[in-house]
Structure formats: structure tokens, C-alpha cells
Amino acid sequence: MQRSCKRYFRRNFLLQWQLYALCLPALVFLAIFNYAPMYGVQIAFRDYTFAKGITGSEWVGLEYFVQFIESPNFVQLMRNTLLLSFYNLLFGFPVPIVLAIMINEIHQVRLKKTVQMITYMPHFISLVAIVGLINLMLNRESGIINLLIQMVGGEPKNFLGLSSAYRTIYVVSDIWQEAGWGTIIYLSALSAVDAESLEAARIDGASTLQKIRYIDLPTIAP
């Protein structure tokens, strides 16, 4: 049985080696960027030191996992992690959709491309630069946010020192950085909207909101 399977695979490979060659780059990519980094996962199970390396460090099993679970801050850390993920999903998911629909309604090609480029440019800014921008904008003495608050008669606040403001700052900055990049998928889906359906909607007197509700949203729903 095994011999016949090997013979079948060998014959199939010789007949369709071009298709296997096309799959090779994808397999190499997965091996290098998805599976090779998994070698470093074992650091979590070792008493890792740089001098000894990964394989030379002592194997300690689940010791650090138990230490983390038994730490006094475990509940708070898990709660904050789950809340940040939930807020990112709740507020971050609809923003690219709304932004894509708004950009799609811009009929001037040059303006449309300019707006799209400006909105997805933050995606390419490094996280270190993003944190630097947040520090500058929220600075108590010279930050633009506190300057605006002072202009309307308010008192400046140390936003970066307020624990209650951390989640808002984290979620808003993440949405600002990634929302524009997420619109690319939805804009490409909106480009597949049937032009005849749009024209028929205009002839029937459909408003912009009706067109978005009954044509655009069902198109990008999948």
C-alpha cells in the first residue's frame, strides 16, 4: 500500500512539477516567518540567560507560568488585557468600514486618493514614534490638547498620569494608526459594487444613506 502511494505521488509530481514549483515560495515564506520563529517559544519554559543561549539554558517547565498566575497583579493584568482587546474590537472594527464608505463617496479622484493616502500613512509610522507623538500632544505644559483646554478656560491635566485615561489613549491611538490601513480591504470590496445597481438607485431617487444601507453594506458584508 505504501509503495503504491509513493509511486502515485512520484508520478503525480513529475507530471505537475510546475504547480509544485509555484507553491514553493509560499511554503518557504511560511517556514521562515511562521514556523522558524516558533523555535524561540521554548524560552518561556527555560531559565533563559543570554550567555547560555536557548538550548543551554536550564529547562524549568511551567515554573514562570505558575509564578505569573500566583502573582498579586494577575487578575488586574488579565482584566486590563481583556478589556483592551474588547474595546479595540468594539470601537476599532466599525471605524475602517465607516471611513471606507466616506472615502468611497468622494467623487473627485485626486481628492479621494489624497485622503486615502493621508489616512493610511500612520500605519507605516513606528510604534516608538507614535508614543513620542502621544507624549508631545498630551504634555501638561506644552501639549496641544492641554493648550486647547486652556483656550476654552479649562485647567490642564496630566493625561499620561491618569490611570483612568490609559485605555482611552491606547484605543484611540491604535484606531488612528490602523483605521486607514483597514479601509483598503473595504474600498477594494466597494469597487466591486455593480454600477447598474447604483444607477438604478439614483433613478429611483434613493438617498446617499439608502444607497449605503441597501447596496454598499451588503456588498462588503461577506
Side-chain angles (χ1 to χ4, degrees):
M1 181 68 180
Q2 292 181 353
R3 187 174 300 176
S4 61
C5 290
K6 291 180 179 179
R7 190 182 302 113
Y8 172 79
F9 177 78
R10 188 182 299 110
R11 183 170 64 252
N12 187 58
F13 178 80
L14 292 175
L15 291 174
Q16 305 184 45
W17 65 269
Q18 298 93 338
L19 296 177
Y20 288 101
L22 290 174
C23 294
L24 184 61
L27 295 176
V28 172
F29 177 87
L30 289 174
I32 294 176
F33 294 102
N34 292 83
Y35 289 97
M38 292 177 66
Y39 175 78
V41 171
Q42 59 182 302
I43 292 178
F45 305 95
R46 294 180 180 273
D47 185 14
Y48 176 75
T49 58
F50 181 78
K52 294 181 180 180
I54 295 179
T55 55
S57 300
E58 181 185 357
W59 182 270
V60 294
L62 298 176
E63 178 181 340
Y64 292 123
F65 291 89
V66 175
Q67 180 180 337
F68 171 64
I69 293 173
E70 293 179 347
S71 66
N73 297 325
F74 172 74
V75 175
Q76 183 180 2
L77 292 172
M78 288 300 297
R79 180 173 177 269
N80 287 336
T81 301
L82 293 175
L83 283 176
L84 287 174
S85 300
F86 174 74
Y87 290 150
N88 265 333
L89 180 63
L90 179 64
F91 298 107
F93 176 73
V95 171
I97 299 175
V98 174
L99 185 59
I101 292 174
M102 293 173 64
I103 294 175
N104 189 59
E105 291 300 316
I106 300 175
H107 300 293
Q108 297 181 12
V109 178
R110 182 175 296 180
L111 178 60
K112 183 176 182 178
K113 291 183 177 180
T114 303
V115 172
Q116 185 179 356
M117 181 185 67
I118 293 174
T119 53
Y120 72 63
M121 276 180 62
H123 172 80
F124 300 98
I125 302 176
S126 70
L127 191 59
V128 176
I130 294 293
V131 173
L133 287 172
I134 293 173
N135 284 324
L136 289 174
M137 294 179 66
L138 299 179
N139 186 277
R140 184 169 185 174
E141 303 298 331
S142 58
I144 186 172
I145 302 299
N146 277 311
L147 291 177
L148 292 174
I149 292 175
Q150 289 177 318
M151 288 175 61
V152 297
E155 292 292 330
K157 295 182 179 180
N158 182 20
F159 291 103
L160 296 176
L162 296 174
S163 58
S164 58
Y166 172 75
R167 292 174 189 151
T168 302
I169 295 172
Y170 179 90
V171 173
V172 171
S173 61
D174 184 74
I175 292 174
W176 173 75
Q177 185 179 16
E178 300 297 338
W181 183 256
T183 60
I184 295 176
I185 298 174
Y186 298 109
L187 282 172
S188 61
L190 287 170
S191 64
V193 173
D194 186 17
E196 294 182 358
S197 299
L198 293 175
E199 186 63 27
R202 293 193 189 97
I203 294 173
D204 292 339
S207 64
T208 301
L209 292 178
Q210 289 174 328
K211 181 181 72 67
I212 292 173
R213 179 181 178 183
Y214 295 107
I215 299 178
D216 291 344
L217 290 178
T219 299
I220 64 176

